[in-house]
Amino acid sequence: MIRGLLAEVPVVVDADDARRAAEAELSDPAYALAQPSWFDRAIGWLAERVADLFDGAAGLVPGGGFGVLVLIAVLVLVIVVVRLRVGPLARSARRPAAVFADRSRTAQDYRDAAERAFAAGELDAAVRDRFRAVVRTLEERGVLDERAGRTADEAAREAGGPLPSARDALRQGAELFDAVHYGGRSATAEGYQRLAELDELVRRTRPEVPA
């Protein structure tokens, strides 16, 4: 009888009791195991953004999704080609190297080697050796000191002071040497002839003594 009366008495639960009951229920480990990890949530968010971007592009590019894939493939191919063609030139421009690998040869040795290479149609080798003949001539005449590790640009800049009439031709010759030897550019017969003229110019020009 008493148990029946107690069952009919209403139970009043206030806000604090409800909060504590909810916290106790949610603290059950089963809920934590059921929730996705932060990594899963991040991957899901990223996948949604990519899907939105893909859907948006598909509406603008002819062919829909397939057109987007083709466009991406073309862009990747262009990037690869640009890296292959421009990369070596840019690296060589940032890292100039020395003119001479062998300092035992004379200017005439380099000059003869250049003429043989030019006659054989080996224009790259002809340009390299003719510019080396120019620099070695400058050293043999005392215009430049014999210093290992000098770059083509340094040789042209240092020799341009005592030989002002050859300054522009020296600079252009150094640029041609670097472009062919380190930049992968193909030499031309015209370029070689300009170096041959530069060679003759530095051989007959008397250095100017600073006042």
Side-chain angles (χ1 to χ4, degrees):
M1 179 67 177
I2 295 174
R3 183 179 299 175
L5 291 175
L6 292 175
E8 295 176 1
V9 176
V11 178
V12 179
V13 180
D14 58 16
D16 292 337
D17 292 335
R19 177 178 55 79
R20 285 192 292 270
E23 291 176 350
E25 179 66 21
L26 294 176
S27 64
D28 191 330
Y31 286 97
L33 293 176
Q35 295 296 322
S37 66
W38 66 269
F39 182 77
D40 293 334
R41 291 194 296 271
I43 293 298
W45 180 87
L46 182 60
E48 291 177 359
R49 301 290 79 75
V50 173
D52 293 342
L53 180 62
F54 188 83
D55 291 340
L60 299 175
V61 178
F66 179 75
V68 173
L69 293 177
V70 173
L71 179 61
I72 292 174
V74 171
L75 290 176
V76 171
L77 180 61
V78 170
I79 292 173
V80 171
V81 171
V82 170
R83 291 278 296 180
L84 290 176
R85 295 300 298 267
V86 179
L89 292 178
R91 287 193 295 271
S92 67
R94 291 191 298 267
R95 297 195 300 271
V99 174
F100 298 112
D102 178 12
R103 297 196 59 84
S104 64
R105 302 172 69 181
T106 67
Q108 191 60 48
D109 291 336
Y110 282 117
R111 194 172 294 115
D112 293 341
E115 287 294 317
R116 290 193 298 269
F118 182 74
E122 300 171 357
L123 298 181
D124 291 355
V127 163
R128 287 193 294 265
D129 284 336
R130 196 69 189 221
F131 185 79
R132 286 167 175 158
V134 170
V135 178
R136 181 65 83 220
T137 297
L138 293 169
E139 293 179 345
E140 292 175 353
R141 298 191 62 199
V143 178
L144 296 176
D145 62 305
E146 294 189 11
R147 173 163 55 87
R150 178 184 280 119
T151 66
D153 181 69
E154 290 171 343
R157 185 171 61 251
E158 294 170 13
L163 299 177
S165 61
R167 183 177 298 148
D168 291 340
L170 284 166
R171 177 181 53 81
Q172 294 170 3
E175 292 174 352
L176 176 60
F177 175 83
D178 283 341
V180 171
H181 190 43
Y182 299 111
R185 183 186 303 175
S186 296
T188 64
E190 292 77 11
Y192 177 77
Q193 292 298 336
R194 287 196 300 271
L195 284 181
E197 295 171 0
L198 172 62
D199 190 16
E200 292 299 321
L201 178 62
V202 300
R203 292 169 70 185
R204 68 172 184 266
T205 303
R206 177 173 302 190
E208 294 186 5
V209 179

